[in-house]
Amino acid sequence: MPTKVSVNSGQITINDGSTFLVTNSYGWIDDNLPQGFFVNDTRMISYYEISINRDRLLLLASSPINHHSALYQFTNPTLRTIAGTLPQGQLMISLRRNIANGMQEAIDITNHYSECVEFQLMLAIRSDFADIFEVKAKQILTRGETETTWADGELTTEYRNGSFYRSLIIQPERSSSQPHYANGRLLFDVVLDPGATWHSNIHFFALTDADCDRDQVCVIPVRTEAKQVSEDFLAQATKFRASDAEITQYYQQALIDLSALRIKVEDHGHQFWMPAAGIPWFVAVFGRDSVTVSLQTMAVYPAFAHGTLVKLAQLQATDVDDWRDAQPGKMLHELRQDELTQLHQLPYTPYYGTIDTTILWIITLAEAYHWSGDAAILSECRGALERALLWIDKYGDFDQDGFVEYQTRSSVGLRNQGWKDSGDSIVYPDGTQVDPPIALCEVQGYVYDAWLRAAEIYEIWGELETAKRLRQKAKALYQKFNDCFWMEDVGFYCLGLDSKKQQIRSIASNPGHLLWSGIVPPDYAARLVKRLFQPDLWCGWGIRTLSSSNPAYNPISYQLGSVWPHDNAAIAMGLKRYGYHAEANRVAEGIFAAASYFEAGRMPELFGGIERQPNSFPVPYPDANIPQAWAAGSILLLIRAMLGLQANAPQAAAHRTAHATRVVVGCRTHKLACG
């Protein structure tokens, strides 16, 4: 049994959709740290601590129970009371939290002392209503006006800043003693005979501009929506069993993580789900993350693709708006509801600063049809598809050089707009930063794939001339790309082209995605694959984002030498596509080996690119999101790569054979031997 590595140790995070709670292991919240109770991208509780007579409780144990609930167990320190000294360890204090319809907290205290005890239970609570971006950056500015009132046993704190409004209501119920409020604390006078128990339920619920139905929010159903949604997801997802029990465990944990990361999508009276990006900081509508996860989970939960396709089409840009990096036909990067966004100080209404989401949306649409055989989704998304294709030609390739590049136009937009979107992620071989516009190599591969897939869709519609033009464009891109991006002396593709149309000759993981897109000629593929597994890229746990020979390399940086599971899963799919089965399995083995060290086999967003050695373990990246959707999805995609699963549901429907129905369309159980 390998040593277990904890990611973000000392932190407990639970959520229900975009409502989430981040605390330390005690369950307390420090307003100077990126912690709190968040609703609609606003921190509703910024400070929280429970004490007895102002003395801190002693933590015995704490842990999440599932994605939306957690349990904390405490006892008392040596405690001075009115009746005398209470020895340590005489009280059992249980705190159970659930995030659903707001937050509910059940507090139970049992007296195991031989005498009656009296004390005051204190709940210190503050709300700063800080913007999520400022909390994460630990750079909070005070704005607006806050007012707290206590009336009829209910604590209400309201915040106003112009049109922006938030309110937190705290309501103790079924308490064994009456609450009162003073000096920023909810107070309960507790008297407990030997063996007696004290109890209270504390309900926290938020009112926002978009959600002001207090009575509805207060309803605490016996079976919470969060629990039902999670159970429905797990019941509908493809069942999987491997001869290696650990692989089965990683698969199941990935499903559990994904069940916690669902956002509801409404469309013409129908309800769908799309994946959010990650907990805690990215529980919002994202573009690139959602289409990537939809592709990763196509064989497991194809409903993600439907929800994602519909939601992104609903929010597809219609106008040029440089503040939001938007152009007609472009799919969004991120949608937020925080204060700075609503007051137009940030552009996330939504923000469109992503170069690849629109292209990947097309690929996802075609792939969804291959797995479902449902032509209705093609018809439903026809207008969005046409606008997306036009965006590639007119705005993606804005200088008309034949390649799609990005250039930030927003004053607060993202400098880099590929999947490696941190500000320092794209570097020259000498480690210096590359200035946009930049044409990333993998983006050209996505375009090639998208045009071929769109051609298939138009053939289904009987529009053969349009399909022919798309195939011709893909063929021309294939040739031009390989002429301009291949580095013959290295046997590898360059990272991209810079603003002067010169090769960015850095060695990075990006070219691995080209195998999945199919734009690599077979005679180049062998050299590309060999280069991916050289020691400067391959660390044993996976392929690094950047070569260790680059001066900018840092194994515990965000994207300059770390290992990203989703990046490796995409590369593994490409290796499988080109017939490099052993190499695809090698990537899977590295990622699965890393998973064996992380608690519950749960994959974090990324981890350090430090070389794998005997008696070593993967090093976590500080503040990595966990669970994170495309990290969880990478487990599913790696298994699919190992199995070589592909789908052609329309063909299966045409043949109407029992074999096709079982294996291709209705595939709900896969068996895998991992010796």
Side-chain angles (χ1 to χ4, degrees), residues 490-502:
V490 182
F492 206 59
Y493 288 95
C494 66
L495 176 56
L497 302 183
D498 64 15
S499 59
K500 297 179 181 178
K501 307 303 177 184
Q502 299 299 304

Side-chain angles (χ1 to χ4, degrees), residues 350-598:
Y351 175 62
Y352 291 87
T354 165
I355 194 59
D356 48 14
T357 299
T358 311
I359 308 161
L360 292 170
W361 183 92
I362 298 171
I363 295 170
T364 303
L365 176 62
E367 188 76 351
Y369 174 69
H370 275 288
W371 280 91
S372 70
D374 181 10
I377 187 63
L378 301 181
S379 299
E380 184 177 0
C381 294
R382 177 168 184 144
L385 171 62
E386 292 171 346
R387 292 187 291 272
L389 290 168
L390 182 60
W391 175 84
I392 293 175
D393 292 339
K394 185 174 181 179
Y395 297 101
D397 182 12
F398 59 80
D399 61 3
Q400 300 299 297
D401 69 336
F403 300 122
V404 170
E405 53 269 303
Y406 62 82
Q407 171 79 64
T408 304
R409 291 170 172 80
S410 175
S411 60
V412 292
L414 293 175
R415 171 187 171 89
N416 290 314
Q417 298 188 358
W419 86 257
K420 295 178 182 176
D421 59 4
S422 58
D424 63 355
S425 62
I426 307 300
V427 295
Y428 287 110
D430 65 359
T432 59
Q433 294 292 310
V434 182
D435 293 326
I438 298 171
L440 293 171
C441 66
E442 74 272 19
V443 172
Q444 318 316 313
Y446 300 157
V447 173
Y448 171 78
D449 192 16
W451 278 340
L452 290 178
R453 290 173 180 267
E456 293 179 2
I457 294 173
Y458 278 98
E459 286 171 346
I460 293 168
W461 289 334
E463 299 186 25
L464 302 185
E465 284 301 316
T466 301
K468 181 179 179 181
R469 285 196 300 272
L470 287 165
R471 292 187 185 280
Q472 289 172 340
K473 289 167 67 173
K475 182 178 179 180
L477 176 59
Y478 182 95
Q479 186 62 51
K480 186 171 184 177
F481 171 78
N482 283 287
D483 289 344
C484 295
F485 281 73
W486 179 251
M487 300 186 293
E488 176 61 28
D489 58 327
V490 182
F492 206 59
Y493 288 95
C494 66
L495 176 56
L497 302 183
D498 64 15
S499 59
K500 297 179 181 178
K501 307 303 177 184
Q502 299 299 304
Q503 290 184 342
I504 306 167
R505 295 176 61 83
S506 300
I507 304 299
S509 64
N510 304 55
H513 290 228
L514 298 170
L515 294 168
W516 195 9
S517 69
I519 201 172
V520 181
D523 54 337
Y524 286 3
R527 297 176 68 189
L528 168 62
V529 172
K530 183 178 180 180
R531 186 66 187 84
L532 284 170
F533 288 94
Q534 293 302 304
D536 63 323
L537 277 180
W538 174 254
C539 74
W541 305 113
I543 295 169
R544 297 182 177 103
T545 46
L546 183 69
S547 164
S548 61
S549 299
N550 193 295
Y553 167 76
N554 181 348
I556 55 170
S557 67
Y558 195 58
Q559 292 169 336
L560 291 172
S562 54
V563 172
W564 286 65
H566 92 278
D567 187 28
N568 278 262
I571 294 171
M573 283 293 290
L575 291 167
K576 191 73 171 185
R577 175 174 184 163
Y578 277 77
Y580 292 93
H581 308 295
E583 289 80 359
N585 289 345
R586 187 179 182 188
V587 172
E589 188 280 329
I591 296 296
F592 290 154
S596 71
Y597 287 90
F598 293 116

Side-chain angles (χ1 to χ4, degrees), residues 18-322:
S18 59
T19 298
F20 64 94
L21 174 71
V22 182
T23 72
N24 63 17
S25 57
Y26 277 71
W28 312 153
I29 298 168
D30 185 338
D31 50 10
N32 293 311
L33 296 175
Q35 300 174 348
F37 175 52
F38 294 82
V39 178
N40 286 358
D41 299 323
T42 301
R43 182 160 71 173
M44 309 301 291
I45 301 177
S46 55
Y47 183 88
Y48 192 89
E49 183 177 13
I50 298 178
S51 60
I52 294 177
N53 290 356
R54 298 184 181 272
D55 288 320
R56 303 191 70 177
L57 305 181
L58 299 179
L59 180 66
L60 298 173
S62 63
S63 177
I65 303 302
N66 48 46
H67 75 83
H68 58 85
S69 64
L71 177 64
Y72 313 79
Q73 301 279 15
F74 305 91
T75 191
N76 64 286
T78 300
L79 194 66
R80 291 182 61 206
T81 71
I82 296 174
T85 300
L86 176 67
Q88 177 180 319
Q90 302 304 306
L91 301 178
M92 186 68 192
I93 303 141
S94 175
L95 175 65
R96 185 181 294 271
R97 286 186 176 137
N98 188 57
I99 304 294
N101 302 312
M103 180 170 75
Q104 295 82 50
E105 183 166 281
I107 304 174
D108 291 280
I109 305 174
T110 302
N111 178 21
H112 294 286
Y113 193 46
S114 58
E115 300 177 13
C116 179
V117 297
E118 297 183 27
F119 56 85
Q120 194 168 64
L121 182 69
M122 300 181 174
L123 281 63
I125 307 169
R126 293 198 293 269
S127 299
D128 64 2
F129 300 99
D131 187 284
I132 189 172
F133 291 102
E134 294 188 332
V135 174
K136 187 174 184 293
K138 293 187 280 190
Q139 297 178 346
I140 298 171
L141 293 177
T142 301
R143 302 179 180 84
E145 297 180 354
T146 304
E147 181 180 2
T148 299
T149 58
W150 170 257
D152 300 323
E154 186 174 277
L155 184 66
T156 302
T157 303
E158 296 180 290
Y159 174 81
R160 290 181 174 84
N161 182 11
S163 61
F164 186 82
Y165 175 82
R166 294 287 188 267
S167 176
L168 177 73
I169 299 175
I170 303 173
Q171 192 175 65
E173 288 187 354
R174 297 192 294 276
S175 301
S176 300
S177 55
Q178 289 299 312
H180 51 282
Y181 179 77
N183 199 26
R185 291 175 173 85
L186 271 178
L187 306 170
F188 297 88
D189 295 319
V190 180
V191 179
L192 282 175
D193 290 327
T197 296
W198 182 94
H199 172 82
S200 181
N201 285 338
I202 315 291
H203 301 315
F204 305 80
F205 54 94
L207 302 184
T208 70
D209 298 328
D211 182 11
C212 292
D213 189 345
R214 171 178 157 180
D215 292 335
Q216 182 178 358
V217 174
C218 282
V219 171
I220 311 299
V222 174
R223 190 177 186 83
T224 68
E225 183 183 18
K227 181 176 178 63
Q228 186 63 58
V229 165
S230 178
E231 290 180 354
D232 289 347
F233 175 90
L234 295 173
Q236 295 169 21
T238 298
K239 305 300 184 293
F240 170 83
R241 185 181 65 213
S243 59
D244 187 325
E246 283 195 337
I247 303 298
T248 304
Q249 176 192 338
Y250 306 153
Y251 181 90
Q252 192 63 28
Q253 184 61 54
L255 292 183
I256 292 170
D257 288 351
L258 289 167
S259 75
L261 285 164
R262 296 203 291 169
I263 296 175
K264 190 181 297 184
V265 177
E266 302 285 349
D267 182 54
H268 301 297
H270 298 286
Q271 178 179 293
F272 305 98
W273 298 93
M274 69 180 294
I279 298 172
W281 305 115
F282 302 116
V283 190
V285 174
F286 276 79
R288 179 189 302 112
D289 296 73
S290 295
V291 292
T292 299
V293 175
S294 295
L295 289 168
Q296 291 174 327
T297 59
M298 202 69 74
V300 175
Y301 189 72
F304 265 160
H306 197 140
T308 297
L309 290 166
V310 167
K311 187 64 175 181
L312 296 190
Q314 290 174 351
L315 296 169
Q316 190 175 27
T318 57
D319 301 298
V320 173
D321 182 349
D322 287 348

